[in-house]
Amino acid sequence: MMMKLFEPLTIKNVTLPNRIVMSPMCMYACDSEDGTVQDWHFTHYISRAVGQVGFILLEATSVTPEGRITSKDLGIWDDKHVEGLKKLVQRMKTYGAKTGIQLAHAGRKATVSQKIVAPSPIRYSEKFPTPMALTKNQIDELVNAFQQAAIRAKEAGFDVIEIHAAHGYLIHQFLSPLTNKRTDEYGETMENRSRFLFEIIKAVRNVWEGPLFVRVSATDYHQEGLNVTDYIALAKKLKVAGVDLIDVSSGGIVSKIQYETYPGYQVPLAEKIKSEANIAVGAVGMITRPEHAEEILQNERADLIFLGRELLRNPYWPYYAAKKLGVHIQSPKPYERGWM
């Protein structure tokens, strides 16, 4: 039986060499605090490309300086960011990996300025200031910021763009009724609350022809928040709007909410969205065992396996998985003696 974990997957004009994805994880490694690529990023990402991760998705990269989670975040709000990103992309591709970037804005969870913004003036916790509610003009400016970021991502040579609409950051803040109390065309109904996301997708699609992913939190873990049924309906519309894959995560919108985690705890959310919205999905969340990853793919519960902390522990997880599953994979030539 062919192991699906090591089968290629073609999305639009891009063929991923296998189904193993490095999930976007913030590194907080920009020592210069100007959002530019540092030596750390070359070491961190290229080692996973050497390790034969098929698709490497960069951390949340901010479309505005004010939208950073911290001052140490990567940025893509200025043309000066392109040079470093382009070099990083080229070096990852040297080892066969496809590359993506996650475009993000933290909204009320940003920490670089006291003048943080959100759909509504509701603070995340007592540790955060109360955000200013965005005006229509400011919303338009942010949509344009995402578009300009997509142009820069294209110039840098990325294969895929992912829009970060999860984990309680700005787009998720618009989507969830827990954080969006607006009474204009961006509030009150799910159609209105998702308007900001669809405006961003349209703006990005006007300048980007390649694969487009959206990361969502498929449940807010709150009875008054969104759940997977809401996201199935949303995913159907996202597909029509030109989104190619839903990266299915969960939570992050409200502080102090406890929920049980265990290996694969988010996979049922991905499975439901895939089957009921008929769209490709990525599964993420404490997937560490190759046999578990293969089961998810063989049973068509997801199309890609997103690995986060496991790849922090082991940049050569694809080699480990291949040995476990009895698959031969091509090694980097300098490593042949160790990988045979």
Side-chain angles (χ1 to χ4, degrees):
M1 181 178 68
M2 178 65 180
M3 295 298 170
K4 292 194 74 170
L5 191 61
F6 292 96
E7 280 187 1
L9 178 67
T10 299
I11 304 175
K12 270 196 163 60
N13 59 335
V14 174
T15 298
L16 309 179
N18 57 47
R19 308 297 181 95
I20 303 167
V21 181
M22 184 174 185
S23 193
M25 292 173 284
C26 292
M27 289 292 103
Y28 309 121
C30 289
D31 295 333
S32 61
E33 298 191 6
D34 64 358
T36 54
V37 170
Q38 306 291 299
D39 287 346
W40 166 262
H41 298 101
F42 287 100
T43 300
H44 173 62
Y45 289 111
I46 294 170
S47 62
R48 276 73 191 173
V50 170
Q52 301 303 292
V53 174
F55 174 43
I56 297 174
L57 191 48
L58 260 63
E59 62 207 78
T61 306
S62 187
V63 301
T64 72
E66 302 82 15
R68 287 174 288 174
I69 304 166
T70 77
S71 61
K72 304 290 189 180
D73 290 3
L74 274 180
I76 195 168
W77 67 78
D78 193 284
D79 291 344
K80 70 182 179 184
H81 295 121
V82 173
E83 181 182 359
L85 291 169
K86 182 181 288 187
K87 288 180 181 178
L88 180 57
V89 166
Q90 289 170 344
R91 292 177 188 179
M92 286 189 286
K93 288 186 175 182
T94 298
Y95 301 99
K98 297 300 181 182
T99 62
I101 188 167
Q102 187 185 66
L103 304 182
H105 189 295
R108 70 177 189 166
K109 294 175 84 171
T111 64
V112 295
S113 169
Q114 287 294 306
K115 297 180 179 179
I116 60 175
V117 296
S120 301
I122 305 169
R123 64 180 181 172
Y124 178 62
S125 73
E126 60 274 7
K127 296 180 181 179
F128 286 76
T130 300
M132 295 180 289
L134 287 160
T135 66
K136 178 64 170 72
N137 285 341
Q138 289 173 318
I139 290 172
D140 291 342
E141 289 171 359
L142 286 172
V143 170
N144 182 62
F146 274 91
Q147 184 182 64
Q148 294 303 309
I151 292 171
R152 295 184 187 107
K154 184 176 181 178
E155 185 179 348
F158 286 100
D159 298 298
V160 176
I161 286 176
E162 177 170 282
I163 296 170
H164 197 355
H167 299 167
Y169 298 122
L170 183 62
I171 299 173
H172 189 188
Q173 291 161 29
F174 269 90
L175 291 171
S176 178
L178 298 171
T179 45
N180 185 343
K181 305 298 182 182
R182 300 175 74 98
T183 57
D184 62 2
E185 68 267 38
Y186 291 93
E188 297 189 304
T189 67
M190 186 60 181
E191 180 179 2
N192 285 352
R193 293 196 308 273
S194 62
R195 189 181 304 276
F196 180 50
L197 172 57
F198 283 102
E199 287 179 351
I200 290 170
I201 290 167
K202 182 178 179 181
V204 169
R205 268 288 170 231
N206 284 339
V207 298
W208 175 259
E209 304 81 25
L212 181 62
F213 295 3
V214 173
R215 172 164 270 196
V216 302
S217 285
T219 175
D220 287 342
Y221 297 108
H222 191 290
Q223 61 183 6
E224 296 175 13
L226 297 177
N227 57 43
V228 70
T229 302
D230 299 306
Y231 278 100
I232 290 166
L234 182 66
K236 291 176 181 178
K237 295 180 180 179
L238 289 172
K239 183 178 181 180
V240 173
V243 172
D244 300 292
L245 180 140
I246 308 295
D247 174 4
V248 184
S249 189
S250 66
I253 194 69
V254 182
S255 63
K256 298 180 180 177
I257 287 184
Q258 300 295 319
Y259 50 90
E260 186 179 0
T261 62
Y262 48 86
Y265 72 100
Q266 295 173 146
V267 174
L269 301 171
E271 184 177 12
K272 287 183 179 180
I273 291 173
K274 176 177 171 61
S275 63
E276 297 189 37
N278 191 28
I279 189 169
V281 300
V284 64
M286 299 177 70
I287 301 168
T288 61
R289 294 173 51 250
E291 299 88 346
H292 186 196
E294 184 65 21
E295 177 274 319
I296 292 166
L297 295 170
Q298 288 287 352
N299 288 316
E300 299 185 351
R301 305 174 73 192
D303 301 274
L304 292 174
I305 302 298
F306 283 64
L307 299 179
R309 295 172 194 179
E310 185 65 10
L311 279 176
L312 298 183
R313 292 184 283 267
N314 182 2
Y316 308 110
W317 190 88
Y319 166 69
Y320 162 73
K323 292 284 283 186
K324 277 282 191 178
L325 297 174
V327 176
H328 172 76
I329 62 170
Q330 193 70 35
S331 69
K333 192 165 183 63
Y335 286 7
E336 282 180 353
R337 286 172 293 178
W339 282 28
M340 287 179 64

